[in-house]
Amino acid sequence: MDDDALLAEQMAYYRAGADAYDRQYAEYETLQELLAVVEDLPVAGDVLELACGTGRWTPRLAARARSVTAVDAAAEVLALARARTASPTVQFIQADLFEWQPPRRYDTVFFAFWLSHVPPARLPGFWNTVAAALAPGGKAIFIDDGPAAATYEEVLANQPTPAALRRLDDGSQYRIVKVFHDAETLTDDLAALGWSVRIRTRAGNFIGVAEPPTIPD
């Protein structure tokens, strides 16, 4: 399966499972604790949230920001995010993150549990998009699963792109991209792309703050 087909199946999974997505935030205390971490992160100014999903993080970002532009490809999760977030400073956009280009620059680009869904071959392009979206002095902030989370996934072996199998309550199953980034390796990979990054781990997850390469005048 090539990346395009795998990403299409991943999209279908999140569209079909939108109503059940929030269940994990009620079941896992670690996720509840991670939500509170936003208050200690350098979220500031105009914020671009990538892969906002059902909007679990959006209100917390809005409380710290001048404005939030929240983007996701799935209409079903965006509907839930809009219902959760009534702030007039939040704008929602439906767009494919592998094709969409931000029309302006932001002080903060934030994404939670999205980096692990980006195929490795597309990582350099993704980080270039993030860099292009940041205003001078801006920061990228990201939260995701570390390697320990593989224990809770049905990881598929011998795949050209790291993948896992997810199942919904109706018995349907979908393959998704799932890359369990190690904090040290991810730091090295970003440094090789010219980023300055600090990543810390917390209960099997990692929290990163990164600044893009400096472009000479």
Side-chain angles (χ1 to χ4, degrees), residues 75-132:
E76 291 80 358
V77 298
L78 279 174
L80 296 172
R82 288 189 178 98
R84 171 172 280 125
T85 310
S87 173
T89 64
V90 177
Q91 175 191 14
F92 291 98
I93 296 175
Q94 182 180 353
D96 183 338
L97 292 180
F98 294 109
E99 298 179 358
W100 182 74
Q101 293 295 319
R104 51 160 296 188
R105 291 177 178 263
Y106 300 84
D107 303 294
T108 307
V109 176
F110 176 91
F111 39 102
F113 298 101
W114 168 245
L115 192 62
S116 59
H117 292 320
V118 178
R122 301 196 185 200
L123 270 180
F126 170 72
W127 283 108
N128 286 340
T129 297
V130 174

Side-chain angles (χ1 to χ4, degrees), residues 4 16-17 26 37 51 61 85 87 95 111 113 117 129 132 138 155 159 168-169 175 185 189 194-195 198-199 201 207:
D4 287 337
V37 166
L61 297 172
T85 310
S87 173
F111 39 102
F113 298 101
H117 292 320
T129 297
V155 177
Q159 301 294 308
L168 296 177
D169 292 342
R175 287 164 292 191
T185 302
D189 290 345
W195 287 75
R198 302 178 304 280
I199 299 177
T201 57
I207 302 162

Side-chain angles (χ1 to χ4, degrees), residues 154-190:
E154 191 172 339
V155 177
L156 298 174
N158 302 318
Q159 301 294 308
T161 296
L165 191 68
R166 294 271 182 92
R167 305 173 192 275
L168 296 177
D169 292 342
D170 63 3
S172 59
Q173 57 186 34
Y174 302 83
R175 287 164 292 191
I176 64 164
V177 178
K178 194 62 181 177
V179 183
F180 300 98
H181 291 283
D182 171 82
E184 183 175 351
T185 302
L186 181 57
T187 298
D188 291 342
D189 290 345
L190 283 171

